[in-house]
Amino acid sequence: MKNTFIIIVTMLLSSCANHAQKDSTGIYLRSEFSWWEAQAKYEFKTFEDGKAKVVAEIQNDGKPYNIKIADKAWSVGRNCGVSEGTNKEIKLNETRLLTCTSKKNNDRLMPLTNAFTLFPKKKGSYTFTLDLVQGQIVSITITEN
C-alpha cells in the first residue's frame, strides 16, 4: 500500500513538472519595470495552441514604458519589437505585428532598438498576449485586467 502511494505521488509530480515545462516559452516581457532583465515572473506561458501570455503590474507614472519581447540572450530572431518606420505606440486591445530582428550585430549592440511604447492610463494589472505560429512570435495584444 505504501509503495503504491509513493508511485502515484511520483507520477503526479512528474506529470506536473512536464506540464510546467510545456507551458514555458523561454520568451520574456522586458521593460523598465523588469529592469530589462529576463525575470521568471515575466516569462510568457502558453495557455492554448498558438497563444502565450504574461500578466504584469504596471504603474501610471506619466511616462511611457518601452517594451520588447526577447529570450534571455536577446538572440537573433528572438528579440522582437515594432517594425522599422511604424508607429511605436501600442494601444490597449490593439493587435500589433512584431518583427523579430535577424541582424546579428544589431541585436548584440542595440537590443532595445524598435521597442514599442505603452502609455498606461492607470496603475493596474495588464495581460500581454502573444500570437505564435510554429513557435515564432507574430503579434501582441495588451489588455487591462
Side-chain angles (χ1 to χ4, degrees):
M1 178 88 164
K2 184 177 178 182
N3 288 342
T4 303
F5 176 75
I6 291 172
I7 291 170
I8 291 172
V9 169
T10 302
M11 289 173 55
L12 286 172
L13 290 174
S14 174
S15 173
C16 289
N18 288 339
H19 183 63
Q21 288 174 351
K22 180 182 176 195
D23 289 344
S24 296
T25 61
I27 303 167
Y28 298 85
L29 178 66
R30 293 176 168 231
S31 183
E32 291 88 354
F33 55 79
S34 71
W35 298 97
W36 294 103
E37 295 175 358
Q39 296 180 15
K41 70 180 179 178
Y42 296 118
E43 183 179 8
F44 283 89
K45 306 286 186 187
T46 57
F47 68 97
E48 66 179 57
D49 214 17
K51 301 264 188 203
K53 69 179 175 180
V54 67
V55 176
E57 292 294 323
I58 298 180
Q59 303 296 315
N60 174 9
D61 58 7
K63 297 178 184 176
Y65 285 98
N66 297 292
I67 299 171
K68 291 287 295 236
I69 309 303
D71 65 5
K72 284 186 177 185
W74 300 97
S75 300
V76 174
R78 302 298 268 178
N79 178 355
C80 308
V82 295
S83 297
E84 190 71 41
T86 62
N87 182 0
K88 293 190 181 293
E89 183 180 351
I90 188 167
K91 297 181 185 317
L92 294 179
N93 304 310
E94 171 187 50
T95 299
R96 288 288 302 270
L97 293 176
L98 295 178
T99 298
C100 300
T101 57
S102 59
K103 298 175 186 168
K104 188 172 188 173
N105 290 337
N106 195 31
D107 281 355
R108 296 212 186 276
L109 298 175
M110 300 183 302
L112 304 183
T113 300
N114 296 334
F116 56 91
T117 57
L118 173 67
F119 293 87
K121 298 200 185 310
K122 62 183 182 178
K123 173 184 174 180
S125 177
Y126 294 82
T127 299
F128 295 75
T129 304
L130 294 178
D131 289 311
L132 308 169
V133 175
Q134 296 179 350
Q136 299 301 312
I137 302 163
V138 176
S139 64
I140 190 166
T141 307
I142 305 170
T143 55
E144 185 178 0
N145 297 334

